[in-house]
Amino acid sequence: MTEVLRPTAVALDIDGTLIDHDEGMSPAVVDAVRRAAEQVPVILATGRAWSTTRPVAERLGLRSGGFVVCSNGARTLRYPDGEVVDERTFDPSTVITSVRRYAPNARMAVEDQDGSYLVTAPFPDGDLGANARIRVVGDDELAPQPVTRLIIRDPDQSESDFVHLAERLGLHGVSYFVGWTAWLDIAPEGVDKSTGLKVALAQYDLDPAGLLAIGDGRNDIEMLTYAGLGIAMDSAPDEVKVAADEVTKSVQDDGVAAVLNRWF
């Protein structure tokens, strides 16, 4: 493979890419990201809310004045003050009704303006991020106003069950991503991680051709294809690996460090 030019910016997914399922992040990965961030903009691009993204940025020592892309691209914020640079929302009421019809036992959640979560029932520990703030509400209180994302979760179902659920819901006017388990993320139509990255790169006056992006989930596909060089983690589903330009090692084997150490 011909070596590509040195990236002018880096976009990194968090869960399954930087951090394992136990919220662990290896010293090798932290060191590699810090060195990269001293030389080019490093942008976290995640499905997480701002409240659970900021602590990761702090652990990585990202530079003040940079940007993070949260909620699968629906919110782009300035780090570390959390100023919202761009926000996309939608009305999830129709989807909520469909979910209750086709998956009556599913749990649903939306992000509140302060980064906390409103949920119809408690999610499994850690699902919404360590130390996430939640409040249990009824379906009718879940989304009285437009939201950046709607999360659907059923621990008793499988990943394949949720692929079929997405098909049965007949989702129109929204974007959606099936997670690594029985998890479905609903986003505003046409919104994905590349949406936020476009906003962030414009702030730097940088071209996506120079962007290096690394991710492991279906919600990373658009980001990987948008970037000049998109790299999938070894644990990624096959469709993510197909969309990427190459595949690195798993999060347990410090795949992000292996990539960043080429240039930084």
Side-chain angles (χ1 to χ4, degrees), residues 36-66:
E38 290 173 356
Q39 301 172 60
V40 299
V42 172
I43 306 162
L44 297 181
T46 177
R48 292 186 176 209
W50 162 246
S51 60
T52 52
T53 301
R54 180 175 178 173
V56 179
E58 291 171 346
R59 287 169 66 183
L60 292 168
L62 297 189
R63 286 188 170 188
S64 295

Side-chain angles (χ1 to χ4, degrees), residues 18-195:
L18 292 171
I19 290 178
D20 62 27
H21 294 312
D22 296 320
E23 291 286 316
M25 185 158 49
S26 81
V29 167
V30 173
D31 181 62
V33 174
R34 286 181 174 177
R35 279 187 281 107
E38 290 173 356
Q39 301 172 60
V40 299
V42 172
I43 306 162
L44 297 181
T46 177
R48 292 186 176 209
W50 162 246
S51 60
T52 52
T53 301
R54 180 175 178 173
V56 179
E58 291 171 346
R59 287 169 66 183
L60 292 168
L62 297 189
R63 286 188 170 188
S64 295
F67 302 90
V68 296
V69 175
C70 296
S71 309
N72 285 321
R75 300 185 90 198
T76 304
L77 306 99
R78 194 179 299 274
Y79 174 78
D81 60 14
E83 175 195 352
V84 177
V85 180
D86 184 70
E87 182 175 75
R88 315 292 174 96
T89 62
F90 73 109
D91 179 358
S93 56
T94 301
V95 179
I96 292 171
T97 300
S98 294
V99 169
R100 279 293 170 247
R101 177 182 177 187
Y102 292 105
N105 297 321
R107 307 167 194 198
M108 290 181 279
V110 301
E111 291 178 21
D112 211 346
Q113 288 293 320
D114 63 0
S116 62
Y117 290 92
L118 302 179
V119 301
T120 57
F123 276 47
D125 288 345
D127 265 17
L128 297 174
N131 303 314
R133 303 187 308 276
I134 67 168
R135 181 162 64 91
V136 179
V137 299
D139 286 7
D140 57 343
E141 301 174 273
L142 189 62
Q145 57 190 15
V147 300
T148 54
R149 69 192 291 214
L150 171 69
I151 303 166
I152 305 166
R153 177 79 163 96
D154 189 344
D156 297 325
Q157 299 294 312
S158 69
E159 179 180 340
S160 62
D161 290 331
F162 262 46
V163 171
H164 296 312
L165 173 61
E167 296 169 352
R168 289 198 306 274
L169 288 175
L171 299 169
H172 301 290
V174 296
S175 300
Y176 70 91
F177 314 96
V178 178
W180 59 270
T181 182
W183 179 290
L184 187 59
D185 251 317
I186 312 294
E189 185 173 19
V191 171
D192 54 62
K193 290 185 181 182
S194 73
T195 307

Side-chain angles (χ1 to χ4, degrees), residues 1 10-19 29 32 212-217 220 223-224 229-238 240-263:
M1 183 182 66
V10 175
L12 299 171
D13 170 53
I14 293 179
D15 297 287
T17 300
L18 292 171
I19 290 178
V29 167
L212 162 66
I214 311 176
D216 77 312
D220 293 314
M223 172 177 81
L224 298 181
L229 179 62
I231 299 182
M233 303 295 287
D234 186 60
S235 58
D238 289 343
V240 180
K241 292 179 179 178
V242 168
D245 296 299
E246 60 179 88
V247 178
T248 187
K249 295 183 289 187
S250 69
V251 64
Q252 290 82 7
D253 293 324
D254 301 336
V256 168
V259 173
L260 295 182
N261 288 343
R262 294 187 204 169
W263 297 283

